[in-house]
């Protein structure tokens, strides 16, 4: 018997639980990541995510990101390390949503072309950490079109200097 060393055997399913420690479950239409237990997710329109992904990459804070279609548009889902409180005094922009615990995020499955979720940034087994939710939300706020013109604090009223 001779071994074929060139043949690469793909696992039946990506081992997200074993390799990354992610809470996953099988639903009728495929494998899903369950938000909670230390792992979070931030969803935003795909058109808005390019600047955020570039900002996270510049900070060496880029983690796994998915493109997931919805009924209205393509969304980007950024996987993060969950933490509380996430944003302090400044909530995320209205187009950005921090997914609630228990939310299910579809995961890509290369064996099933009908699964429309795709990795934008694939998880790396050599770099299994996830960026902090607060760091991702700070980058989201800094990457928004009007970031330079918003007040830093929403609790203190703007004061004008008098002469």
């Amino acid at each position: 018997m001779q071994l074929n060393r060139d043949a690469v055997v793909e696992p039946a399913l990506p081992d997200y639980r074993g390799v990354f420690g992610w809470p996953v479950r099988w639903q009728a239409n495929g494998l899903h990541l369950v938000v909670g237990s230390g792992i979070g997710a931030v969803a935003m329109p795909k058109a808005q995510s390019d600047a955020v992904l570039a900002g996270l990459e510049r900070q060496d804070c880029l983690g796994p990101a998915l493109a997931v279609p919805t009924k209205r548009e393509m969304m980007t889902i950024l996987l993060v390390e969950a933490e509380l409180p996430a944003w302090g005094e400044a909530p995320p922009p209205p187009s950005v949503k921090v997914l609630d615990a228990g939310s299910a995020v579809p995961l890509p499955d290369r064996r099933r072309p009908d699964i429309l979720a795709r990795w934008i940034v694939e998880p790396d087994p050599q770099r299994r950490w996830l960026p902090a939710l607060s760091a991702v939300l700070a980058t989201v706020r800094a990457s928004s079109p009007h970031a330079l013109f918003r007040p830093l604090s929403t609790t203190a009223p703007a004061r004008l200097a008098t002469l």
Side-chain angles (χ1 to χ4, degrees):
M1 182 171 117
Q2 185 177 11
L3 294 176
N4 183 356
R5 296 183 192 274
D6 295 329
V8 175
V9 177
E10 297 276 339
L13 286 173
D15 190 10
Y16 296 116
R17 183 185 308 271
V19 174
F20 299 102
W22 295 352
V24 294
R25 71 174 173 224
W26 183 264
Q27 291 183 336
N29 59 347
L31 195 61
H32 288 73
L33 170 77
V34 181
V35 174
S37 300
I39 189 166
V42 176
M44 68 185 67
K46 176 75 172 87
Q48 183 181 354
S49 69
D50 290 341
V52 173
L53 292 170
L56 290 168
E57 187 172 27
R58 277 191 304 275
Q59 299 172 52
D60 194 27
C61 197
L62 188 59
L66 295 147
V68 178
T70 66
K71 291 179 183 177
R72 294 188 301 162
E73 63 189 330
M74 186 65 80
M75 297 293 287
T76 297
I77 309 289
L78 304 171
L79 302 184
V80 298
E81 182 179 335
E83 60 186 75
L84 292 174
W87 52 77
E89 296 177 5
S95 60
V96 176
K97 182 175 176 26
V98 177
L99 300 183
D100 296 327
S103 298
V105 175
L107 292 170
D109 185 348
R110 63 185 155 268
R111 299 170 302 117
R112 293 193 47 203
D114 58 316
I115 302 294
L116 299 178
R118 299 286 180 251
W119 288 113
I120 298 170
V121 179
E122 289 195 38
D124 182 354
Q126 302 302 316
R127 187 175 177 169
R128 293 183 289 172
W129 64 272
L130 295 172
L133 176 57
S134 58
V136 169
L137 291 177
T139 304
V140 166
R141 284 191 295 274
S143 301
S144 70
H146 304 292
L148 296 176
F149 303 104
R150 287 188 312 209
L152 293 177
S153 173
T154 57
T155 58
R159 297 177 193 239
L160 298 175
T162 57
L163 295 175

